[in-house]
Amino acid sequence: MTLTHDQREIAIGLLIEKSHRNMEQAVKNAGLDYWDLVANRLYYSLFMLLLP
């Protein structure tokens, strides 16, 4: 399946939003000293940005 230019822009925008949510979760978990969760959320934050 091939995406149109508009569909690709929407998909990329959604991945960036998901990345930002993961980053916010990392920051909140850092405040609670849940470092394993921080590492996990940071990993997925970067993974979402590198996916496309």
Side-chain angles (χ1 to χ4, degrees):
M1 178 172 97
T2 303
L3 298 177
T4 66
H5 177 73
D6 290 339
Q7 290 171 327
R8 188 176 302 239
E9 284 189 5
I10 291 168
I12 291 170
L14 291 171
L15 289 172
I16 291 171
E17 286 178 24
K18 189 170 186 176
S19 175
H20 287 177
R21 283 194 308 274
N22 283 321
M23 183 64 70
E24 290 172 1
Q25 292 171 7
V27 170
K28 289 177 183 177
N29 283 306
L32 298 170
D33 290 333
Y34 294 149
W35 299 108
D36 288 341
L37 291 175
V38 171
N40 178 274
R41 295 295 87 199
L42 290 175
Y43 170 83
Y44 281 105
S45 180
L46 292 173
F47 179 78
M48 289 298 133
L49 289 177
L50 299 174
L51 190 60

